[in-house]
Amino acid sequence: MEIVVSGIRSTGCLHLGNYFGAVQNFLKMQEDSNYHCFFFIADFHSLTTHPKPDDFRKNTNEVLVDYLACGLNPEKVVLYAQSDIPEIPELYLLLNMLAYKGELERVASFKDKVRKNEENVNAGLLTYPVLMAADILIHRAHKVPVGKDQVQHLEMARNFGNRFNHLYGNDFFPEPYPFTFTGTPITVPGLDGSGKMGKSDGNGIYLRDEPEVIRKKVMKAVTDSGPTVPNSEKPDAIKNIFQLLTLVSDASTVAHFEEAYNNCNIRYGDLKKQLAEDIILFNAPIKERIDGIIRDTDYQQMVLKLGAEKSRASASATLKEVRKIIGIE
Ligand code: ADP
Ligand code: TRP
């Protein structure tokens, strides 16, 4: 049996990047009896940007409701909020002793955050990969389903785990590797010509967006004047539209627009309309379930309580061993 851990930062509700980069894999893994899955809401991680208390709670809840509406089943997987597991911050503290300032400063996501937000370069941001490593190592995980942007963080988790093993002369922590059913972690693009759809990039198409909002977002997608030479390579902005189409539409629809592109008679207006309608169709059942779960706060509380109990049982067993290995007893 392999241990699987993954989480999503609770900075708001989930978008298509979260779904196709991460959640889609969670759903498949939960049905596979080879995996024991721990999926969580990374609410401590959201504190780097200092949300107000009401927003902190609201965001945690939104991710929980979206997880459940996507089909995560709290009876098949351990579903919990990171902040309900005090063993995680303790392991984070211990791992911080093995994490070096230089290597943390070289992390691409850190450099990116520094560039975008010079006035809030806090230590939590710098040690973000250490907290993430604690999330993973606390259950001694083997596989971590994530999007491409998290791959470097996982490399660091392996480094910290290996360093611990080496320092204390054991093989206590297994090496956690990224996992997706397609074989490689993906990046879901934004429609603003940028490489990645993201909450912080302000270009998200959310699972709970109203149809009208989705139509507006998609119709604004960056395009060009169209190909003039048959079978020419697509510029990035057009590739992005096609990539999203491949995720939400059926193969014949994609083939139809590919052919039109290759024959130079594609109409981007039609392509975007089709994409918008297919996203709306894709979201519809999820959105319907969100509307059902959102009001059932008792159910939400019950899920978090059950998840916290199961997660803490696993986390405290690991931490007990870690303390013993270090000599804290
Ligand atoms: P955001 O980038 O919107 O802040 P998160 O950083 O919370 O989203 O990402 C949560 C999970 O969703 C991670 O596993 C991440 O890799 C995945 N993810 C987020 N955006 C994308 C994307 N555009 N493509 C693929 N995966 C993504
Ligand atoms: N860093 C991830 C993100 O931005 C969230 C995360 C926190 C995570 N801890 C994790 C993902 C552990 C996988 C495993 O969404």
Side-chain angles (χ1 to χ4, degrees), residues 6-9 11 15 17-18 21-22 128 145-150 186-189 196-201:
S6 192
I8 293 189
R9 209 155 35 106
T11 43
H15 52 71
N18 298 131
Y128 186 107
V146 281
K148 199 170 173 192
D149 59 324
Q150 301 299 317
I186 60 163
T187 301
V188 177
K196 177 180 176 274
M197 181 181 291
K199 266 162 272 180
S200 25
D201 307 280

Side-chain angles (χ1 to χ4, degrees), residues 14-147:
L14 302 190
H15 52 71
L16 293 175
N18 298 131
Y19 187 89
F20 289 106
V23 178
Q24 195 178 42
N25 290 293
F26 300 1
L27 294 171
K28 287 190 183 161
M29 292 179 113
Q30 90 172 346
E31 301 306 333
D32 190 331
S33 57
N34 291 316
Y35 300 127
H36 182 41
C37 300
F38 294 86
F39 296 130
F40 68 97
I41 304 152
D43 48 2
F44 278 142
H45 274 109
S46 78
L47 290 172
T48 55
T49 52
H50 312 146
K52 295 196 181 77
D54 281 348
D55 288 333
F56 179 84
R57 281 187 284 269
K58 180 172 134 290
N59 291 341
T60 303
N61 239 275
E62 279 175 353
V63 176
L64 175 68
V65 170
D66 283 2
Y67 270 167
L68 292 167
C70 286
L72 280 190
N73 182 343
E75 284 167 22
K76 293 186 179 167
V77 300
V78 183
L79 191 56
Y80 56 101
Q82 185 187 33
S83 61
D84 279 333
I85 318 299
E87 289 80 6
I88 294 173
E90 184 170 339
L91 183 60
Y92 165 65
L93 177 146
L94 299 171
L95 292 175
N96 263 319
M97 311 304 168
L98 304 176
Y100 292 93
K101 176 172 162 278
E103 65 183 340
L104 294 171
E105 280 170 345
R106 283 193 298 275
V107 175
S109 61
F110 176 70
K111 289 198 283 198
D112 189 50
K113 291 268 152 56
V114 172
R115 204 161 28 81
K116 289 185 183 151
N117 210 346
E118 273 173 6
E119 68 287 355
N120 182 29
V121 184
N122 58 61
L125 208 54
L126 182 69
T127 57
Y128 186 107
V130 190
L131 180 54
M132 188 162 155
D135 294 326
I136 297 167
L137 298 176
I138 199 73
H139 300 299
R140 302 170 74 188
H142 306 96
K143 289 202 160 85
V144 187
V146 281

Side-chain angles (χ1 to χ4, degrees), residues 18-313:
N18 298 131
Y19 187 89
F20 289 106
V23 178
Q24 195 178 42
N25 290 293
F26 300 1
L27 294 171
K28 287 190 183 161
M29 292 179 113
Q30 90 172 346
E31 301 306 333
D32 190 331
S33 57
N34 291 316
Y35 300 127
H36 182 41
C37 300
F38 294 86
F39 296 130
F40 68 97
I41 304 152
D43 48 2
F44 278 142
H45 274 109
S46 78
L47 290 172
T48 55
T49 52
H50 312 146
K52 295 196 181 77
D54 281 348
D55 288 333
F56 179 84
R57 281 187 284 269
K58 180 172 134 290
N59 291 341
T60 303
N61 239 275
E62 279 175 353
V63 176
L64 175 68
V65 170
D66 283 2
Y67 270 167
L68 292 167
C70 286
L72 280 190
N73 182 343
E75 284 167 22
K76 293 186 179 167
V77 300
V78 183
L79 191 56
Y80 56 101
Q82 185 187 33
S83 61
D84 279 333
I85 318 299
E87 289 80 6
I88 294 173
E90 184 170 339
L91 183 60
Y92 165 65
L93 177 146
L94 299 171
L95 292 175
N96 263 319
M97 311 304 168
L98 304 176
Y100 292 93
K101 176 172 162 278
E103 65 183 340
L104 294 171
E105 280 170 345
R106 283 193 298 275
V107 175
S109 61
F110 176 70
K111 289 198 283 198
D112 189 50
K113 291 268 152 56
V114 172
R115 204 161 28 81
K116 289 185 183 151
N117 210 346
E118 273 173 6
E119 68 287 355
N120 182 29
V121 184
N122 58 61
L125 208 54
L126 182 69
T127 57
Y128 186 107
V130 190
L131 180 54
M132 188 162 155
D135 294 326
I136 297 167
L137 298 176
I138 199 73
H139 300 299
R140 302 170 74 188
H142 306 96
K143 289 202 160 85
V144 187
V146 281
K148 199 170 173 192
D149 59 324
Q150 301 299 317
V151 167
Q152 192 185 17
H153 292 154
L154 285 195
E155 189 185 329
M156 310 217 41
R158 289 194 295 281
N159 289 344
F160 302 143
N162 282 333
R163 231 170 261 167
F164 177 93
N165 291 351
H166 188 71
L167 183 64
Y168 296 104
N170 58 37
D171 55 3
F172 184 70
F173 289 120
E175 288 193 315
Y177 279 95
F179 180 83
T180 68
F181 276 90
T182 56
T184 30
I186 60 163
T187 301
V188 177
L191 286 178
D192 50 359
S194 81
K196 177 180 176 274
M197 181 181 291
K199 266 162 272 180
S200 25
D201 307 280
N203 61 1
I205 298 178
Y206 293 88
L207 298 175
R208 36 174 109 177
D209 274 346
E210 293 298 334
E212 264 326 297
V213 174
I214 293 176
R215 287 189 190 105
K216 266 199 201 118
K217 287 182 178 174
V218 174
M219 293 319 278
K220 275 203 316 215
V222 177
T223 50
D224 56 18
S225 52
T228 50
V229 180
N231 302 315
S232 47
E233 166 141 26
K234 299 185 191 82
D236 284 347
I238 306 301
K239 262 193 212 150
N240 291 351
I241 299 179
F242 271 91
Q243 198 187 332
L244 278 174
L245 194 73
T246 310
L247 292 171
V248 295
S249 306
D250 54 40
S252 61
T253 306
V254 180
H256 165 78
F257 285 101
E258 285 284 359
E259 195 184 316
Y261 186 87
N262 286 332
N263 294 335
C264 304
N265 56 15
I266 189 156
R267 288 160 52 164
Y268 287 137
D270 292 348
L271 171 66
K272 292 201 248 184
K273 266 191 206 134
Q274 180 78 45
L275 176 61
E277 295 314 311
D278 286 344
I279 293 175
I280 292 166
L281 269 181
F282 175 82
N283 282 359
I286 300 176
K287 214 168 134 34
E288 203 180 308
R289 285 193 295 267
I290 290 176
D291 294 338
I293 300 165
I294 207 161
R295 270 175 229 100
D296 197 348
T297 47
D298 286 350
Y299 175 62
Q300 294 166 30
Q301 288 312 310
M302 193 195 77
V303 168
L304 287 181
K305 188 161 173 278
L306 175 77
E309 275 164 20
K310 291 194 208 159
S311 176
R312 285 201 70 185

